[in-house]
Amino acid sequence: MPHLSTISALSNRIGGGSGLLTAWVGMSDPIIAGQLALEDFDAVTIDMQHGANDITSVRLGISHVTLAGKPTIVRIPVNDFASASRVLDLGAAGVIAPMINSKADAEAFVSFMKFPPVGQRSWGPTVAVALTGQSLDDYLVKGNAMAVAIAMIETREALAALDDILALDGIDAVFVGPSDLSIALSNGANVNPGRADVIDALDHVMKRAHAHKKAACCFAPSPTLAKDLAKKGYDLMAIGTDFSQLRSGARAQIDIARGRA
Ligand code: 3PY
Ligand code: MG
């Protein structure tokens, strides 16, 4: 049963204000996901919406992250719910779907995330079954609970439909995209995830999620925001991205070497 506890760690640990941290990987070399998994993250998220990842880099990335003992989350492209089933088949522990703006969007997402009777996920988890060492019957019974369905809230429409989305059986968590939300709330005037109205929305989303006994998650462009959100009771935060961490790590070392720090 080689990696069952690794992959099920996400569904087992998220919730109750767990304050988990995930890395966020837009680069497509699976070694990058594997390297970040060796740091003190609780999970690694591989991004297929933005960044450079495709189904092959996700497949290889999941292997590297799993071997490092961490669960993998995958963010799929907008409205590409078929990819949710595919990445679960490859051993993803959770899926983030961007731009879930209505109950109908959330229902479509769930239908590809969960086997009947909750959804309509088609059978074919060959790699996931091998990675977890489960029997086919065990995977059918436990697969729905292990596959964490995370709906992104990042528009005015999504905020208006928040309770309907959260009430849906099969949605396990919501994930705020504060950059898109800041654009939406300012009617396209600017992108500023730290703005006061965005922080108010973050507080509101967490309260509604917890009222529905679902997890609250967020992308935090800065570690300070992640720390604040964890203190408030958020369940999972992404901090920065592989791009920003590579650049800021290089900059910090250059500043020391050039005597600027
Ligand atoms: C957003 O902030 O809009 C996101 O999607 C985070 O990646
Ligand atoms: Mg977004």
Side-chain angles (χ1 to χ4, degrees), residues 5-252:
S5 59
T6 294
I7 294 174
S8 58
L10 181 68
S11 55
N12 287 339
R13 294 184 61 211
I14 198 169
S18 44
L20 305 179
L21 292 180
T22 179
W24 193 271
V25 179
M27 296 184 196
S28 54
D29 191 318
I31 291 174
I32 292 165
Q35 287 292 301
L36 286 171
L38 296 171
E39 296 301 327
D40 188 18
F41 287 111
D42 302 292
V44 172
T45 300
I46 303 178
D47 187 12
M48 299 177 83
Q49 182 194 11
H50 301 295
N53 284 292
D54 57 16
I55 196 71
T56 301
S57 66
V58 166
R59 173 174 65 80
L60 296 169
I62 290 171
S63 306
H64 282 251
V65 173
T66 305
L67 281 176
K70 301 286 169 65
T72 311
I73 303 167
V74 177
R75 179 166 75 169
I76 56 175
V78 176
N79 284 333
D80 182 9
F81 301 122
S83 286
S85 307
R86 287 189 83 189
V87 300
L88 291 176
D89 289 348
L90 295 173
V95 177
I96 299 174
M99 294 283 174
I100 297 296
N101 292 332
S102 63
K103 184 179 173 196
D105 287 349
E107 283 170 342
F109 176 39
V110 167
S111 76
F112 285 89
M113 284 294 292
K114 309 282 183 177
F115 294 120
V118 182
Q120 299 277 317
R121 179 179 165 194
S122 169
W123 183 255
T126 314
V127 177
V129 165
L131 273 181
T132 54
Q134 288 168 296
S135 70
L136 298 182
D137 284 345
D138 275 352
Y139 189 83
L140 178 59
V141 171
K142 296 180 189 147
N144 280 0
M146 278 177 58
V148 182
I150 308 169
M152 283 196 78
I153 304 297
E154 46 187 350
T155 62
R156 286 175 185 268
E157 293 79 6
L159 284 178
L162 181 61
D163 278 297
D164 289 343
I165 293 167
L166 282 163
L168 200 64
D169 189 20
I171 292 291
D172 302 301
V174 285
F175 188 109
V176 180
S179 293
D180 276 312
L181 192 57
S182 74
I183 295 171
L185 294 181
S186 69
N187 298 319
N190 57 61
V191 51
N192 179 0
R195 225 174 41 222
D197 57 344
V198 179
I199 302 298
D200 286 350
L202 280 165
D203 293 347
H204 171 68
V205 169
M206 187 191 79
K207 285 192 189 114
R208 294 316 305 150
H210 289 171
H212 286 267
K213 301 202 177 345
K214 306 279 170 91
C217 316
C218 181
F219 184 88
S222 76
T224 319
L225 178 61
K227 190 174 157 194
D228 292 348
L229 292 174
K231 211 180 286 172
K232 286 178 177 177
Y234 257 80
D235 297 286
L236 174 108
M237 284 81 49
I239 10 171
T241 67
D242 51 350
F243 294 101
S244 64
Q245 287 158 4
L246 184 69
R247 295 282 303 272
S248 63
R251 206 175 307 127

